[in-house]
Amino acid sequence: MNIIVSKEIEQVCPGFVGAAVEAQVVNTPFCAPLWDEIHEWEERFRRELTTESLKELSGIAATRAVYKRCGKDPSRYRPASEQLVRRMLQGKELYQIDTLVDLVNLASIAFGYSIGGFDADHFVGDTLTLGVGREGEPYEGIGRGQLNIAGLPVYRDAQGGVGTPTSDHERTKMTLATTHLVVLINGYDGDAARVRQNAEFIQALTRRYCQSDGGTVTLFGRDVQAGGL
């Protein structure tokens, strides 16, 4: 996939760094060792964080700040990473969906970045553009129905929106039939080294749990395109 960061995003977050992990995978309904890892992170966060202090984590804080600059209330439309960690801190179990979804959720929890996981075979065209949602733009969030994405950062393919930091789109969601995985990491804090670490963590998870060789990692953003990373 070619990934373009629009001027709209550069204006509200000039230091944005993203990463794309692309891999061939085998999905399964459930993976017990993966959930052992998830529970370890739950225990750690319950010791170290509160529902207020988690907002100060670099990836979450930066995403919330971009929401505000785009005109969106981050407490009403919470970034997915914040939603997941909040759920843990409230003593609630994370939803168990399937291995790929659970794996992407773990990667988001561990690093604090909002991460989109997609069945790349359902993208239309070969280019994704990261822009800002418009008023009245149709968007069906996974399990959420029609979502108002005006003011949210959004990846679009040739047909329309496929992913926001709050919710990805039903059209390109991962299923048990998914074999061509693309994961997008949104580093609104501009920390290229940490974004890369997050990508490599995802690669390691796919090797352990999805019969994958880990695929490839591509970083993107203005500084990346300019050869700065």
Side-chain angles (χ1 to χ4, degrees), residues 105-127:
N105 284 344
L106 171 56
S108 182
I109 289 163
F111 283 79
Y113 292 124
S114 288
I115 297 175
F118 306 91
D119 187 324
D121 288 341
H122 292 167
F123 288 142
V124 177
D126 63 357
T127 301

Side-chain angles (χ1 to χ4, degrees), residues 19-187:
V21 180
E22 185 169 5
Q24 294 296 314
V25 294
V26 175
N27 199 7
T28 53
F30 178 75
C31 179
L34 171 60
W35 274 89
D36 289 340
E37 284 199 50
I38 291 171
H39 291 315
E40 289 174 4
W41 281 95
E42 283 180 334
E43 292 173 6
R44 173 179 169 180
F45 282 144
R46 287 171 184 165
R47 289 195 305 268
E48 298 178 355
L49 295 173
T50 68
T51 54
E52 286 303 311
S53 67
L54 76 90
K55 297 176 186 178
E56 300 171 7
L57 296 176
S58 175
I60 292 174
T63 305
R64 289 175 62 90
V66 166
Y67 272 34
K68 290 178 181 178
R69 292 183 203 125
C70 290
K72 209 68 168 178
D73 181 355
S75 294
R76 183 176 179 189
Y77 295 85
R78 295 186 193 278
S81 53
E82 183 182 348
Q83 294 177 42
L84 292 167
V85 179
R86 278 178 63 86
R87 188 170 181 84
M88 285 180 167
L89 296 177
Q90 290 168 347
K92 301 175 182 177
E93 285 288 331
L94 294 186
Y95 297 110
Q96 190 276 313
I97 307 299
D98 59 48
T99 299
L100 281 180
V101 174
D102 301 340
L103 178 156
V104 170
N105 284 344
L106 171 56
S108 182
I109 289 163
F111 283 79
Y113 292 124
S114 288
I115 297 175
F118 306 91
D119 187 324
D121 288 341
H122 292 167
F123 288 142
V124 177
D126 63 357
T127 301
L128 296 175
T129 302
L130 177 59
V132 178
R134 298 182 289 265
E135 288 292 341
E137 183 172 359
Y139 189 94
E140 186 179 0
I142 297 173
R144 301 172 69 110
Q146 289 299 312
L147 183 67
N148 175 13
I149 65 167
L152 285 179
V154 57
Y155 287 95
R156 299 183 181 93
D157 65 6
Q159 183 171 320
V162 297
T164 75
T166 291
S167 175
D168 294 327
H169 197 286
E170 282 279 352
R171 173 167 61 88
T172 51
K173 72 179 181 182
M174 301 176 293
T175 69
L176 286 174
T178 297
T179 58
H180 184 186
L181 173 69
V182 166
V183 181
L184 300 176
I185 303 166
N186 298 289

